[in-house]
Amino acid sequence: MASPPASQDQPMAGAPADGGATAQATEPIGTGPQRVRVLPGASETAASFEFEGEDHTLGNALRYMIMKNPEVEFCGYSIPHPSEAKMNVRIQTYEGTTVYDALEKGFDDLADLCDVVTEKFTEARDAFVARQHE
């Protein structure tokens, strides 16, 4: 296979060739420091969560996915102060659904969406590369 033309994406120095898709985590899941905590005043249907090391990227995407759940009455996020790497998410659900279930469903739905985006991107990239080599 010929080298890609200079206008095509090039791998970053030091980055895995596969984009990290097969990279191993440096720590097993669940052994690192706790990055999510429930803020005081929580109930089964209303709670605020504080996420360490997160910002608008996760906040807005997670809020959007949680609000798509018809069992959720309200979901919002905030960055309490720009100099702190913290993001707060507030969830309120209707009776019969807990905030913990809504948060977990939001993460699951967001992960599923990311999988679809990755798949569609990969298909489009592969089709583009195939057309370039015709």
Side-chain angles (χ1 to χ4, degrees):
M1 182 177 198
S3 299
S7 64
Q8 257 187 331
D9 290 340
Q10 301 293 315
M12 291 180 6
D18 63 357
T22 60
Q24 297 295 318
T26 56
E27 292 182 354
I29 294 174
T31 62
Q34 183 175 342
R35 295 185 48 216
V36 180
R37 72 182 183 105
V38 180
L39 296 176
S43 70
E44 289 295 308
T45 59
S48 293
F49 302 87
E50 180 182 75
F51 292 79
E52 287 282 336
E54 297 298 341
D55 58 16
H56 294 285
T57 304
L58 178 64
N60 196 38
L62 186 59
R63 178 205 58 80
Y64 175 79
M65 295 309 289
I66 291 172
M67 279 303 299
K68 289 179 67 79
N69 183 345
E71 298 170 355
V72 172
E73 182 176 10
F74 171 81
C75 182
Y77 84 97
S78 66
I79 306 296
H81 194 278
S83 68
E84 294 181 33
K86 294 181 182 179
M87 184 256 311
N88 295 341
V89 173
R90 174 78 176 172
I91 303 172
Q92 291 174 215
T93 62
Y94 296 108
E95 291 296 325
T97 301
T98 69
V99 292
Y100 309 104
D101 291 340
L103 180 62
E104 185 172 357
K105 181 175 177 1
F107 275 126
D108 290 343
D109 292 349
L110 184 56
D112 291 345
L113 178 63
C114 289
D115 290 343
V116 169
V117 169
T118 300
E119 181 182 313
K120 295 293 184 185
F121 172 80
T122 302
E123 289 172 4
R125 182 202 59 208
D126 292 347
F128 175 80
V129 169
R131 284 192 308 270
Q132 297 300 310
H133 295 300
E134 288 180 354

